Amino acid sequence: MKNTLTIAGSDTCGGAGIQADLKTFSAHGTYGMSVITAVTVQNTMGVFGCQDIDADIISAQIDAIFEDIFHVDAVKVGMVSKTETINAIADKLEKYKPNNIVIDPVMISKSGFDLLKPEAKDALIKRLLPLATVLTPNLPEAEVITGMKIDNISAMKEAAEKIHAMGAKNVFVKGGHLSDDATDILFDGNKFTILEGKRIDTKNTHGTGCTISSAIAANLANGLSVEQAVKAAKEYITTAIEHS
């Protein structure tokens, strides 16, 4: 069994964050571990508060994993709200060098709560983005990272190219915020892979971003290529939304 680690915030209702990641890791047959970066007050209706974990405790949690569990086959990084948190995580990932790092640049909740402090955006782009085996922004997050408006496939491709140039090895731009079908784009620096998806009429999408990124991480840990891992994760989350 492969070992997977999530570095992210906690979700009170269990549908997103650490809780969603651990459930997804288990569903993919991997052993899930966690480093908690923040404790949030949230449910399916929104995020109502957040308390960050001190950076030294985050660093110590990561050390506790890597100094004991020598084979961490994939790491998923989710909610990282402060510059100090980002620097602590980046320092440890650079030290331990896990093979597969999936970074979900969580910035704003669906209810409009700032999960990434605005002043920490540059740190995320400069410190964490270049460490990503796969970066998984949705359209609003890709807009913040690139500074461009993204509302169609052509703009998604341009954004993916810009983000790849910032250092991410593979960029998976999620199109759930498009007005028509939920089409996603994967860019590996040379090739675009278009992942078409039908629009599912449901409001039950809490935690889908967390879930798909942790599914990608688990698939990479299990030996799939990046393209295979992303395609399988999209199938997994589509089924989850259909049966939400």
Side-chain angles (χ1 to χ4, degrees), residues 129-143:
L129 192 152
L131 301 177
T133 307
V134 185
L135 191 84
T136 66
N138 59 28
L139 297 193
E141 291 158 353
E143 288 181 341

Side-chain angles (χ1 to χ4, degrees), residues 187-203:
F187 181 60
D188 65 2
N190 296 302
K191 182 182 73 172
F192 287 104
T193 301
I194 308 299
L195 295 92
E196 296 180 349
K198 61 183 179 180
R199 177 73 56 185
I200 300 170
D201 185 17
T202 178
K203 294 181 180 179

Side-chain angles (χ1 to χ4, degrees), residues 95-133:
K95 175 181 177 180
Y96 293 112
K97 296 180 173 58
N99 289 331
N100 300 297
I101 301 174
V102 178
I103 295 179
D104 182 16
V106 179
M107 295 180 176
I108 303 172
S109 73
K110 287 185 177 68
S111 61
F113 191 93
D114 282 329
L115 297 172
L116 176 72
K117 291 180 171 55
E119 64 271 18
K121 182 189 77 171
D122 288 344
L124 186 147
I125 292 172
K126 292 176 181 177
R127 294 296 317 274
L128 282 181
L129 192 152
L131 301 177
T133 307

